[in-house]
């Protein structure tokens, strides 16, 4: 009878230890799953932020390029206008000096 009681107690002890072990493993598994989910969320956040940063940089670069192109176009237009004025004045001066030498205009 004692042998049987010891066997029952040992079996109960083993069963309880196994149950606690399974509960601990389940708890660890849940914790690992939560940590993995947090890590994936962090990776998503980092990816999203990286994409935003690249988009922002690209947008800023495009604005800067567009602004530079507009400035260059304005400079070219202004240079053409100045050149046209200079040519017109030169033609007027030559015209005056050739057609009206008595005016004393010299180019």
């Amino acid at each position: 009878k004692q042998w049987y009681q010891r066997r029952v107690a040992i079996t109960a002890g083993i069963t309880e230890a196994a149950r606690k072990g399974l509960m601990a493993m389940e708890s660890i598994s849940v914790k690992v799953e939560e940590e993995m989910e947090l890590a994936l969320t962090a990776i998503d956040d980092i990816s999203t932020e990286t994409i935003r940063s690249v988009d922002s940089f690209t947008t800023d670069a495009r604005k800067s390029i567009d602004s530079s192109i507009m400035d260059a176009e304005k400079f070219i237009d202004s240079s053409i206008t100045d050149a046209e004025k200079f040519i017109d004045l030169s033609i007027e001066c030559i015209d005056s000096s050739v057609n009206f030498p008595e005016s004393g205009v010299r180019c």
Side-chain angles (χ1 to χ4, degrees), residues 61-79:
R62 282 187 183 137
K63 286 179 184 175
S64 178
I65 290 168
D66 288 347
S67 177
S68 296
I69 289 170
M70 286 174 59
D71 289 347
E73 287 173 343
K74 286 177 188 174
F75 176 76
I76 290 168
D77 287 346
S78 174
S79 297

Side-chain angles (χ1 to χ4, degrees), residues 22-87:
L22 286 173
M23 286 174 58
M25 286 175 57
E26 185 177 328
S27 175
I28 290 169
S29 175
V30 167
K31 189 69 176 165
V32 166
E33 189 175 314
E34 288 172 357
E35 292 297 326
M36 285 177 61
E37 200 162 312
L38 287 173
L40 288 173
T41 300
I43 289 169
D44 283 347
D45 291 348
I46 291 168
S47 297
T48 301
E49 194 56 40
T50 300
I51 289 168
R52 282 189 192 135
S53 295
V54 169
D55 285 348
S56 175
F57 176 77
T58 303
T59 300
D60 290 348
R62 282 187 183 137
K63 286 179 184 175
S64 178
I65 290 168
D66 288 347
S67 177
S68 296
I69 289 170
M70 286 174 59
D71 289 347
E73 287 173 343
K74 286 177 188 174
F75 176 76
I76 290 168
D77 287 346
S78 174
S79 297
I80 290 170
T81 301
D82 290 347
E84 287 172 341
K85 286 179 185 174
F86 178 76
I87 291 169

